[in-house]
């Protein structure tokens, strides 16, 4: 994402011929360690958020008489996967043992791996009525069933020669972005524009336009503090109407809770995100 933004800047300011054939040497403020840390942090945050929503289910469930042929397909497919952002393979659940809290999965005719309850306890069914608080499963059989074909992610680490470890994988539906700035030097250290550059080069950190909502409130409060307000200044969380008589327009800001709390300190109004105040 960072390098692509540099390329876009160069193309705009110097043109394609100069960028592609001019032999330019370009110095940037990129800090590679910060960039990698930002990339990992954003992806972990999106995955954690997605898991709180529940598991959307396997690729498909395969009848047992089709398992032998599918295992051969899985082995060939997994062997052909090129390294990428996600080290994914496909696995077929062939045994569910709720007593031992263990799932056995085939990665091919002769290759097996296993998942325990700690690996799948997040994988409860999606429940729109309980957005963000899906109950954890207590048995492995509540998460996956025999014949489920799923995506697994190869985990980092492990000593040389040890059997590779995998985790149940689900690509997040939500997207995000991150910018790290050295404020003293006014330099960008890291830019992450989305979960996967390979799947979408759209840079949500710099190319997207979003209504900031309550995230803009600290800017308003900072302006107030710069003009003499203090955290103890009393502000009014009460009904008010703004009218534009030339257009016959009236705006009445409301609070999310659809009520008003009256006089509040500036500190409390910001902490409670009171719109009217």
């Amino acid at each position: 994402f960072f390098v692509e933004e540099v390329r876009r800047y160069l193309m705009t300011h110097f043109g394609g011929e100069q960028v592609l054939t001019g032999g330019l040497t370009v110095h940037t403020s990129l800090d590679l360690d910060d960039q990698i840390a930002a990339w990992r942090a954003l992806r972990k945050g999106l995955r954690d958020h997605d898991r709180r929503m529940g598991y959307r289910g396997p690729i498909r469930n395969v009848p047992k008489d089709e398992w032998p042929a599918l295992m051969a397909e899985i082995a060939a497919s997994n062997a052909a996967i090129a390294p990428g952002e996600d080290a994914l393979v496909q696995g077929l659940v062939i045994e569910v043992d709720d007593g031992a809290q263990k799932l056995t999965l085939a990665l091919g005719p002769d290759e097996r791996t296993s998942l325990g309850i700690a690996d799948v306890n997040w994988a409860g069914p999606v429940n729109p009525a309980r957005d963000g608080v899906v109950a954890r499963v207590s048995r492995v059989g509540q998460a996956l069933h025999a014949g489920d074909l799923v995506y697994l992610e190869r985990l980092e680490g492990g000593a040389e020669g040890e059997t590779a470890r995998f985790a149940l994988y689900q690509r997040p539906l939500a997207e995000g972005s991150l910018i790290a700035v050295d404020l003293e030097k006014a330099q960008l250290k890291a830019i992450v524009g989305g979960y996967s550059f390979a799947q979408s080069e759209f840079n949500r950190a710099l190319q997207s336009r979003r209504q900031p909502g309550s995230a803009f409130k600290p800017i308003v409060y900072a302006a107030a503090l710069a003009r003499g307000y203090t955290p103890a200044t009393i502000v009014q969380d009460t009904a008010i109407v703004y009218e534009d008589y030339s257009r016959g327009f009236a705006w009445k800001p409301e609070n999310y809770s659809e009520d008003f709390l009256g006089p509040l300190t500036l500190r409390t109004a910001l902490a409670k995100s009171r719109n009217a105040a």
Side-chain angles (χ1 to χ4, degrees):
F1 285 108
F2 196 111
V3 172
E4 172 61 14
E5 187 59 27
V6 172
R7 186 197 67 80
R8 282 161 38 86
Y9 177 91
L10 295 174
M11 295 291 280
T12 299
H13 288 78
F14 300 101
E17 182 176 354
Q18 180 70 2
V19 172
L20 296 174
T21 65
L24 302 180
T25 299
V26 181
H27 298 270
T28 77
S29 57
L30 169 69
D31 184 301
L32 189 57
D33 290 338
D34 285 354
Q35 180 70 24
I36 293 172
W39 177 77
R40 287 177 171 166
L42 178 72
R43 289 168 65 85
K44 181 181 185 302
L46 290 173
R47 289 190 193 189
D48 289 348
H49 165 77
D50 194 68
R51 287 184 170 191
R52 290 194 293 270
M53 304 296 116
Y55 184 51
R56 295 186 294 276
I59 302 169
R60 60 191 173 98
N61 187 272
V62 183
K64 193 168 185 177
D65 61 344
E66 298 179 17
W67 289 8
L70 180 62
M71 288 183 194
E73 292 178 15
I74 291 174
S77 174
N78 291 344
I81 294 175
E85 290 178 312
D86 296 310
L88 301 183
V89 299
Q90 292 185 20
L92 175 68
V93 179
I94 59 174
E95 184 179 351
V96 178
D97 187 339
D98 280 330
Q101 294 284 35
K102 178 182 176 182
L103 295 161
T104 302
L105 296 93
L107 306 180
D110 304 311
E111 187 177 359
R112 303 289 184 267
T113 190
S114 62
L115 299 176
I117 185 62
D119 299 313
V120 297
N121 61 4
W122 61 271
V126 174
N127 184 354
R130 299 187 54 160
D131 184 21
V133 288
V134 169
R136 289 179 172 250
V137 302
S138 57
R139 294 180 292 105
V140 292
Q142 293 174 309
L144 296 174
H145 307 89
D148 282 350
L149 179 64
V150 301
Y151 283 116
L152 300 173
E153 181 180 28
R154 190 185 301 271
L155 300 178
E156 295 180 355
E160 187 175 348
E162 287 186 357
T163 302
R165 291 194 64 248
F166 296 89
L168 181 63
Y169 179 83
Q170 176 172 266
R171 191 185 189 285
L173 291 180
E175 273 289 359
S177 60
L178 187 154
I179 297 178
V181 184
D182 184 328
L183 296 177
E184 291 186 354
K185 297 180 180 179
Q187 293 180 344
L188 287 173
K189 292 300 183 183
I191 302 172
V192 187
Y195 181 79
S196 170
F197 184 82
Q199 295 190 13
S200 171
E201 296 182 11
F202 180 64
N203 190 331
R204 293 157 187 83
L206 299 174
Q207 292 176 277
S208 66
R209 297 292 181 266
R210 294 289 186 269
Q211 211 276 18
S214 292
F216 193 76
K217 286 176 183 173
I219 307 298
V220 177
Y221 280 77
L225 293 171
R227 286 160 176 76
Y229 284 68
T230 76
T233 299
I234 298 298
V235 292
Q236 300 297 325
D237 180 25
T238 54
I240 188 170
V241 177
Y242 295 94
E243 293 187 275
D244 184 338
Y245 295 104
S246 64
R247 295 188 294 171
F249 174 77
W251 178 55
K252 181 181 178 181
E254 298 178 346
N255 292 310
Y256 182 79
S257 57
E258 298 182 346
D259 62 1
F260 299 98
L261 301 181
L264 299 173
T265 63
L266 199 74
R267 177 189 290 108
T268 301
L270 176 57
K272 294 183 177 293
S273 193
R274 305 300 291 182
N275 297 332

